Amino acid sequence: MSERNYKIAVIRGDGIGPEIVDSALKVLDKAESLSGFTTERSYVLAGGSAIDSCGIPLAYGALETCQSSDAVLLGAVGGPKWDNVDPSIRPEKALLALRKGLGLYANLRPAIMYKELASASPLKNSGDIDIMIVRELTGGIYFGENGAFDSTEVMADGTVKGRVAYDTEAYSEGEITRIVRQAFEFAMGRRKKLTLVDKANVLRTSRLWREITMSLSAEYPEVALDFLYVDNCSMQLIGRPSSFDVIVTSNMFGDILSDEAGMITGSIGMLPSASLGKPGTPGLFEPIHGSAPDIAGTGKANPLATILSVAMMLRWSLGEVEAADMIENAVKDVISAGYRTPDIANGENGEISVNTAEMTDAVVEYLCNDLH
Ligand code: IPM
Ligand code: MG
C-alpha cells in the first residue's frame, strides 16, 4: 500500500451533519485523485444518532476507531430531539469524550472574512478580518470537579440556599504552557501578534495563565504580546476586529469568543475548526456551526465550513499541504464566482443561488480548474 494512504474516522452526526460530511467527502475524493493519495474511511456513530441506536452518545468502540485513525472528520451532533434525555447521555457528551479521549487540547478556530461576503457582516467596513482563536480544549471548567447538594444555610437576607450546584475551573502549569506555546508558534507564522484573553482581575486561574504567558514571551521576542479581560475583548472584537491576529484563551472563554468571532465574519457557515493533541496523534476536524436541524434535508446547508475542515485535516493531520491549498483556493474561487447558499446570499448582482449539492459540485469543478 502506498505511504500516502490515510485512515479517517468519519462521524456524520445529526441534523445537516450527514449532508455536509458527504459533500466534504466528495471534495476529498476529487482531491485524492488529483493529488495521488488515498483514504480509508471508517464510519463511527456519535451524538443523537448513537443515542437512538445504542442508547449512549458515543457508540461502543467509537473512541478506539478514532484513536487508531490518522484523523477524525465530524459533521455536527445534537438537536432538540435529544433535549430531554438524561444529562449524562446528552449528544454533546460524545464531543467532550472524544476531545478528552483523543487528548485534543488545542482547538484552532480561524475567523476569516472573505471580501466578497463582507456585506453579510454586521461590521462591513472594518477592514480585513483574519483572526485565529486558539482555545484550550481539555481543561478548565468543562472538565473540573462538579457536583450538587442541598443546603439549609440561610443567607443574610433570610433566603434559604436550598439546592446548590457547582462547576470548578482548575488549570495546571503544564496545560497552560503547552497551549500558550502553540499559540506563540502560530503567531510566529502569521502577523506576530498574540493576545491572551482572561479575567485576571478576578480569577486565580487567569493570573496563572498571565504569569506563564509572560515568562514564555521571553522565548518569542518577535511576538507582540498583549492581555485583555474577556469582557473587554468581547467589545474590542467588534470595535477593532482587524487588529487581532492570534488569541489564546481558556476552554470556556474560547467557546464564547469563537462564536462572536464567527459572527463578525458574517458567515458562520464558512468557518472550519481543528482540534489537535500531541504531534502524531489523530486530530478532529469539524465545522464551527451546529447541526441546524431546522434545515436538515432541505438542501439549504452550506457545505463550505466542512469542506474547509477537510482542508485543515489535510494540512494539520495528514501532511497533504498541497491538497489543502488546492481546496482552500477552490473555495475562494467559488465565492469569487458568485456561488451562494442561502446563508451567504445577499441579493447582489452576479450571485448564483445554489443548494448544498450544487455548491459541492462547484468546488469539485474548481478543484480541477486549478490544475490547468
Ligand atoms: C463548541 C460547542 C461545544 C462546546 C458544545 C456542543 C459542547 O459549543 O464546540 O464550541 O461548548 O465546546
Ligand atoms: Mg461553542
Side-chain angles (χ1 to χ4, degrees):
M1 197 160 290
S2 96
E3 254 183 48
R4 293 170 69 209
N5 177 56
Y6 309 100
K7 280 192 188 163
I8 302 175
V10 178
I11 302 173
R12 293 164 84 232
D14 310 314
I16 58 171
E19 306 158 38
I20 53 178
V21 166
D22 291 349
S23 289
L25 291 177
K26 204 166 169 188
V27 172
L28 180 60
D29 285 338
K30 192 72 202 180
E32 286 180 22
S33 66
L34 290 172
S35 188
F37 66 94
T38 50
T39 62
E40 207 178 295
R41 301 164 194 177
S42 309
Y43 287 83
V44 166
L45 271 186
S49 56
I51 296 174
D52 288 349
S53 58
C54 341
I56 46 170
L58 196 55
Y60 296 104
L63 180 60
E64 291 71 13
T65 303
C66 294
Q67 278 164 336
S68 63
S69 301
D70 294 303
V72 183
L73 179 68
L74 185 146
V77 297
K81 183 176 171 198
W82 302 281
D83 272 353
N84 298 317
V85 299
D86 186 280
S88 66
I89 60 156
R90 282 185 67 86
E92 292 81 358
K93 287 274 175 192
L95 214 51
L96 300 181
L98 284 168
R99 289 172 182 171
K100 201 68 177 177
L102 295 169
L104 305 172
Y105 60 83
N107 186 208
L108 315 182
R109 300 195 160 185
I112 297 169
M113 183 155 78
Y114 290 78
K115 57 175 197 312
E116 294 87 349
L117 301 179
S119 56
S121 166
L123 310 174
K124 295 173 192 43
N125 303 314
S126 42
D128 287 346
I129 301 178
D130 181 354
I131 306 170
M132 173 69 90
I133 297 191
V134 179
R135 168 190 177 193
E136 198 293 324
L137 201 61
T138 51
I141 199 166
Y142 272 61
F143 293 97
E145 205 185 302
N146 63 73
F149 59 92
D150 286 322
S151 170
T152 52
E153 195 183 319
V154 180
M155 293 178 281
D157 69 348
T159 312
V160 177
K161 279 197 171 166
R163 286 175 300 161
V164 179
Y166 62 93
D167 300 276
T168 53
E169 163 138 321
Y171 268 114
S172 65
E173 183 169 12
E175 285 174 308
I176 298 169
T177 304
R178 65 186 179 185
I179 189 79
V180 173
R181 192 181 284 288
Q182 191 150 47
F184 270 113
E185 294 289 338
F186 270 114
M188 285 299 290
R190 294 173 45 108
R191 302 195 306 281
K192 298 195 171 62
K193 288 205 299 198
L194 178 64
T195 305
L196 171 67
V197 175
D198 62 26
K199 189 74 188 173
N201 48 349
V202 180
L203 304 177
R204 262 181 102 139
T205 43
S206 288
R207 291 197 282 274
L208 186 58
W209 276 77
R210 274 204 190 198
E211 268 171 42
I212 292 170
T213 304
M214 269 189 271
S215 52
L216 280 175
S217 78
E219 292 175 39
Y220 300 92
E222 286 174 59
V223 176
L225 171 68
D226 66 351
F227 303 94
L228 278 181
Y229 298 141
V230 62
D231 47 350
N232 187 13
C233 181
S234 71
M235 285 203 304
Q236 304 301 333
L237 270 174
I238 291 175
R240 51 173 180 88
S242 55
S243 71
F244 287 93
D245 180 13
V246 180
I247 289 176
V248 65
T249 191
S250 65
N251 205 343
M252 181 87 257
F253 296 157
D255 179 45
I256 300 166
L257 293 178
S258 61
D259 268 26
E260 184 184 359
M263 186 65 215
I264 61 183
T265 66
S267 51
I268 189 113
M270 298 288 302
L271 303 177
S273 76
S275 303
L276 306 175
K278 221 170 57 193
T281 62
L284 184 146
F285 302 84
E286 58 178 322
I288 282 188
H289 61 72
S291 63
D294 52 321
I295 58 163
T298 63
K300 289 187 185 155
N302 183 349
L304 294 179
T306 318
I307 290 170
L308 289 167
S309 299
V310 164
M312 287 192 97
M313 174 175 88
L314 293 168
R315 186 180 305 285
W316 298 109
S317 272
L318 309 185
E320 293 289 345
V321 176
E322 251 176 49
D325 288 342
M326 198 160 78
I327 292 177
E328 283 167 5
N329 287 333
V331 168
K332 282 186 200 135
D333 288 346
V334 300
I335 294 295
S336 306
Y339 291 92
R340 299 285 184 271
T341 43
D343 59 307
I344 50 174
N346 47 35
E348 280 171 4
N349 274 346
E351 276 189 10
I352 309 164
S353 300
V354 288
N355 61 25
T356 313
E358 290 160 343
M359 183 61 110
T360 307
D361 291 342
V363 176
V364 168
E365 198 175 308
Y366 274 85
L367 268 183
C368 313
N369 285 346
D370 269 4
L371 284 190
H372 302 314

